[in-house]
Structures are given as structure tokens and as C-alpha cells.
Amino acid sequence: MSGAAGKIEVPAGARVFVHQAFTCCPYAAMITAKIHDYFEQNGCTISDHPEEAAISVINTCGFNASRSEQALRSIRAIRKRAPTSPLVIAGCLTRIERGRVQEALEGVPAWVMIGPGEHGTFDDLLASAVLQFDEVQSNLYKDRYSSGDPRLGLYQVLVSTGCLNTCSYCVIRQAKGTVSSKPIEQVVAEVERGLELGHRDVFLVGDDISSYGGDLGVDVVQLLDRLTRGGGEGRFSAEAFEPSRFIAHLDGLLPVFERDRFSWIVLPAQSGSDRVLEAMNRSYTVADVRDAVARLKQAAPGMIVSTDFIFGFAGETAEEFEASIDLASVFDYANFNDYEPRPGTPDIEIAAEEMERRKAVVNALLRKQGGQVQVLTRNRSVVCDWWKDGDSPMVGRRAPTRWAVESARRLETMVEAGGAALASGWSVTRLKADLDRVMLLATHEDRDDVMEFMVVRRDEKAPCMAFSDDYNLTLVSDEAVDRPDEERMAALDALVDLLGMRC
Ligand code: SF4
């Protein structure tokens, strides 16, 4: 257990508020779903409001600075709404920035931190539990928490956590430790259960699947061979394989991929420069990666091989950055993350303007990869067919999208925590999901005046008044734009703060 204060006892049948303070991490989103299922399957009710709940559980991520801030903001917001409620803080941030989490919990009557691999602690909180946490089977995201995640609806099987590597930029290892693998037959049983339930796409998840089995005396070749031997209906995709261990097993893996049961794998190259790879403590070369992708394409021409890059690490030069852009072209698509220093990792050595220039280059590349970036992870085997036809099925919807509904709920939490008042007599009086956006209305207490705002999914290219990692905020009511008086400006600034955004 990563720390506790006071005693938490969740009564049988209690109402429990569960909050996911991030987007994007396959592992953690599954843990949120499992926490939800654990309490529900043990007779508790999942509440929409922390004020009504016996406890609040917040699942966190610490992968980068912005996710940490998002998690700490959520803790503060939920504390404001339910000041006496016991709090359970789960997830990687409890390990990566434990001190800051503890600070945010100061004054909370009872709290407990539950880090990765410590989920058995939930059984200590719920004395009436008939099902232990580890017995709960959760293989699907919940749209309540992951509505905006393109992996929603995919059947997921966690094969391992942690890894055997020591990449110098990484904090995941700090949070999860060395590899902990699920026995092969347990993975096979979970996959078969998914196929029996009618799922045809199985997504294998692990921080580094190449490290699989290092703690069990088996390896990734044995796992994937067992899953694909003898044919069968399901198709697989897998995220992610650290290249040096993947390449060490490649001779054994190629015959497995030749069975054409994999739609997609993720092989994070991270850099197109051998000097930067060395600084990252990644023990392979760019030539190794090129060779591995070429051999994969030969063995499984229909399989999508995608990758991740980090740019701006270890004083990466403009030429080294260009080398990553160049290496990206050997993959079906590449995802790029700008390097953000984390506790215990090197500082950034590149000027902010140069990072902005590189972000622009990266965005241009992602745009060139087109709509497929959005749909690629939605339903992989189907997407592979669309990919081949170069056609994108994304169409509009009449009813608010799940993303809009979920975002409206999150923004509402922030607005309510701040009390909805802005400045100079202005306050937020309406907030609702509308198609694929959230609309906010601010009115003035003394005069017949309104300002209308639109919140959409973050797009770095699109002009906006303010933004956060997930959203763009735009002022849409013309007169406010045309005649911004001082009071309005104060109210606009207050709204930006309230929503945790920046200009
Ligand atoms: S393989 Fe992945 S999880 Fe492991 S240390 Fe490297 S980046 Fe971190």
C-alpha cells in the first residue's frame, strides 16, 4: 500500500463515486473499469456525484506533467464537492509523485493510496466483498470513463505489467517496477472467454510485451505461439513491444506473424538517432529497427506496424529530429510525443520555440497520415480493410457523442467545484453536450447580456481562445468578441482558470 491515513470501511451496498482523471493509457483505463466492476459486483452502487457517495475513488496517471496536473486538480475538485468523504487514490501517480498527492490530501479525514499491483487493498476496504478484486474479470473500457478513447469496445487482455528495461526518460518503470506476467494458460482462458462472448478483435496490453514471461521462465514467443497455434477466429493486436527484446525474439516471432492472425502491433522506435537511443538507454540501433520492420512486412504484409517517437530528448539536434521523421516513413503510422521531464528523468535542453517548431512539423506529418490516425484504433481488423481502401468512415451524429456527454460531465465537475461564479457579475449558467462539442453559457447578474462558449476536442492547429490537453475553448457570441470590455475580459480569464486551461 502506498500510504494511508484514518480508517476506511465501505459499508455493504454503499454508493461509490469513481473518477478517471486522464485519457489515453490502455492499462489504467482497464483498471478504472475493473474498480467500477469490483464495487458493482459486490453490491455497491456507482454514484454520479461524490457528495452522495460513501467514498470517492480517483484513478490517476503520471506519464507526463499534464496528466499529473489533471489528477491533482481532480482530487481538489472532488474534495471541494465532498469535503468529508474518504478518498481512495489509485494509479501510477501514487508512486511517481506520491509527495504531491499526499499534499493534495492534507486535511482529508481518511484516505488511502493504492499503487499498481496493490489492488488487493480494495478488499480491505470492503469487508462485505464476496468477490476479491483479483477475481473480477474486466476486459472492456466503460464509456462512462473512456468515451473519447478510440479503443472503446475493443476486448482487451492485460498480459503483463512493468518491464525488464531501464529507459532513461521513463517513469512507468518507477510506478510499475519489473515485469509481472499473467501465466500463459490464464491469458488463453481470458482470450477464449472473449471469443465466446462474440468478440473477434482481441487487444493484448502490456507496458512491454517483449519482456513477457521474464518472471515465469517463459517468453513472448511461447505466449503468441500458444494464442495463434491451430487457427481460430479471433484476430489480435498488441501494444507495445520494446524493440531490443523484440528483435532478440524475432526469429521465433516471424513464423507466428506468418499465420496472419495479427492485425496490428506497436513497436516504439522512440528515435531515429543512434546517439539519442543511447541517451535513452535503449539498446538497439536505427538499422536494427529498419531491418526488423522489413522482415515483419515480408512475413505479414497485411499487418499494420505502428510506432511511437519521443522528440526533444537529450539535446536532440534538428538533424536528429529529422532522422526520426525519416524513420517514421518505414511504419504504417507513427505517433509522436514531445518529451516532458518527469521526477528522476533528465531535464529538457531544447528551447521552447524550437519545440513549437518541431510540434508543427509533427502535426503536419500526422495530418498527412490523415483521418486514419483517428479511426485506426477503433476496430483494428475492420480498419485494416478501410486502410487498404484509403477510405475513412467517420461521419457526424445527431445525438451528442459519448465524448461530448463525458466531457460535459467533467467540465461540470470543474465548474461546480469553482462555484460557477466568474468575475464582475458574470457566472456560468448553462453547460450542455451538443453533437460533438460542449456549449457553455455565461450570463451577467445585472444586465441582459450573455457570452456563449464552445468546447471541442483539442486540436493544436485550430484557432481557439484557450486550451488544455484535451480541449479547445472558443468564444462564439459575436458581440462579446467585437466589444470586449474590461468586465468581460475579467470573466474570460476567470473561466479559463476555472476549466484548468491556458491561453
Ligand atoms: S520499456 Fe517502456 S515501460 Fe519499460 S522502461 Fe522502457 S519506456 Fe518504460
Side-chain angles (χ1 to χ4, degrees):
M1 185 172 6
S2 293
K7 181 121 182 77
I8 300 181
E9 282 175 7
V10 182
R15 298 178 72 81
V16 177
F17 178 73
V18 178
H19 183 68
Q20 177 170 287
F22 56 84
T23 48
C24 210
C25 166
Y27 158 82
M30 281 169 74
I31 295 297
T32 308
K34 193 166 180 173
I35 293 169
H36 179 117
D37 287 339
Y38 170 75
F39 283 108
E40 216 165 48
Q41 290 172 24
N42 277 308
C44 297
T45 305
I46 302 299
S47 166
D48 285 338
H49 301 289
E51 303 89 333
E52 301 163 359
I55 64 163
S56 291
V57 181
I58 304 166
N59 197 15
T60 66
C61 169
F63 170 69
N64 61 22
S66 38
R67 296 218 174 93
S68 299
E69 295 315 317
Q70 211 173 342
L72 294 167
R73 248 201 324 275
S74 297
I75 294 173
R76 286 191 286 270
I78 290 163
R79 280 192 63 177
K80 269 204 179 132
R81 291 177 64 179
T84 58
S85 167
L87 284 183
V88 177
I89 312 300
C92 296
L93 196 62
T94 64
R95 294 259 179 80
I96 296 169
E97 295 197 83
R98 189 167 168 285
R100 292 188 70 203
V101 176
Q102 201 150 344
E103 260 170 47
L105 290 168
E106 239 148 65
V108 172
W111 57 263
V112 62
M113 287 196 230
I114 301 180
E118 298 173 339
H119 299 116
T121 308
F122 280 104
D123 301 324
D124 306 334
L125 308 181
L126 191 58
S128 61
V130 286
L131 208 60
Q132 301 297 289
F133 193 89
D134 285 347
E135 294 171 309
V136 175
Q137 286 275 355
S138 281
N139 298 90
L140 292 167
Y141 288 175
K142 302 225 176 276
D143 62 0
R144 179 188 185 92
Y145 312 108
S146 304
S147 58
D149 194 306
R151 282 169 288 241
L152 192 65
L154 265 179
Y155 185 86
Q156 317 214 14
V157 176
L158 185 68
V159 299
S160 61
T161 59
C163 75
L164 297 169
N165 312 297
T166 51
C167 307
S168 57
Y169 56 81
C170 176
V171 284
I172 301 169
R173 186 89 173 31
Q174 281 177 36
K176 306 239 184 97
T178 188
V179 69
S180 168
S181 312
K182 202 177 272 177
I184 293 183
E185 289 317 313
Q186 208 178 320
V187 175
V188 171
E190 229 172 298
V191 168
E192 284 169 353
R193 200 171 72 89
L195 298 175
E196 278 154 25
L197 291 168
H199 295 281
R200 288 295 161 266
D201 261 291
V202 178
F203 181 26
L204 305 175
V205 179
D207 297 304
D208 172 28
I209 302 178
S210 310
S211 294
Y212 175 84
D215 54 326
L216 299 177
V218 294
D219 65 31
V220 62
V221 178
Q222 290 165 278
L223 172 69
L224 302 191
D225 170 58
R226 177 73 183 79
L227 287 172
T228 58
R229 197 185 313 147
E233 284 178 281
R235 294 191 62 76
F236 296 93
S237 31
E239 181 174 1
F241 296 94
E242 188 278 334
S244 70
R245 292 175 189 281
F246 181 83
I247 291 164
H249 290 296
L250 198 50
D251 290 346
L253 287 169
L254 289 176
V256 171
F257 291 129
E258 276 166 11
R259 293 173 186 157
D260 191 25
R261 297 283 306 281
F262 275 80
S263 304
W264 177 310
I265 64 168
V266 182
L267 188 67
Q270 301 299 17
S271 176
S273 148
D274 288 345
R275 183 196 71 81
V276 175
L277 286 174
E278 204 177 325
M280 287 176 165
N281 205 22
R282 306 271 278 183
S283 42
Y284 53 86
T285 66
V286 173
D288 294 337
V289 171
R290 286 182 184 278
D291 174 61
V293 175
R295 293 176 70 192
L296 283 169
K297 284 291 161 190
Q298 207 161 20
M303 180 171 74
I304 286 188
V305 183
S306 74
T307 191
D308 295 313
F309 284 96
I310 292 175
F311 64 94
F313 183 75
E316 177 192 61
T317 64
E319 294 69 32
E320 288 167 336
F321 170 65
E322 285 306 325
S324 293
I325 300 286
D326 182 50
L327 180 60
S329 62
V330 305
F331 291 91
D332 291 298
Y333 103 98
N335 184 36
F336 281 78
N337 293 302
D338 50 320
Y339 174 62
E340 279 188 36
R342 301 298 290 128
T345 68
D347 279 337
I348 194 156
E349 300 162 21
I350 296 180
E353 312 76 61
E354 173 55 13
M355 281 302 274
E356 285 309 313
R357 182 192 72 79
R358 294 182 191 187
K359 275 187 194 162
V361 172
V362 161
N363 283 317
L365 177 78
L366 290 177
R367 219 167 287 292
K368 209 169 86 205
Q369 289 178 130
Q372 283 91 348
V373 174
Q374 281 292 325
V375 298
L376 271 182
T377 54
R378 188 165 289 277
N379 190 335
R380 296 176 180 211
S381 57
V382 180
V383 165
C384 297
D385 300 334
W386 284 325
W387 177 279
K388 292 195 185 91
D389 304 338
D391 191 7
S392 162
M394 296 294 277
V395 292
R397 291 182 212 157
R398 296 266 35 93
T401 63
R402 287 192 196 122
W403 179 87
V405 172
E406 183 56 21
S407 299
R409 199 179 279 142
R410 278 169 66 190
L411 293 165
E412 196 175 30
T413 303
M414 294 177 179
V415 169
E416 281 177 1
L422 301 176
S424 315
W426 285 92
S427 50
V428 177
T429 47
R430 203 160 59 121
L431 183 156
K432 80 175 178 67
D434 176 30
L435 294 179
D436 58 357
R437 70 211 57 192
V438 179
M439 302 306 290
L440 282 96
L441 196 71
T443 52
H444 194 279
E445 61 191 3
D446 295 332
R447 58 176 193 263
D448 180 18
D449 204 346
V450 298
M451 289 196 282
E452 195 167 13
F453 301 88
M454 179 171 73
V455 177
V456 295
R457 202 190 286 276
R458 176 72 181 127
D459 178 350
E460 292 184 348
K461 255 344 229 178
C464 60
M465 180 183 99
F467 61 92
S468 68
D469 285 336
D470 299 312
Y471 304 116
N472 280 12
L473 174 71
T474 309
L475 177 60
V476 289
S477 37
D478 298 345
E479 80 275 7
V481 175
D482 299 339
R483 341 183 253 103
D485 56 33
E486 236 175 76
E487 283 190 357
R488 278 176 203 279
M489 294 312 293
L492 294 180
D493 289 345
L495 180 64
V496 169
D497 278 353
L498 188 63
L499 300 180
M501 294 186 171
R502 48 200 184 273
C503 295

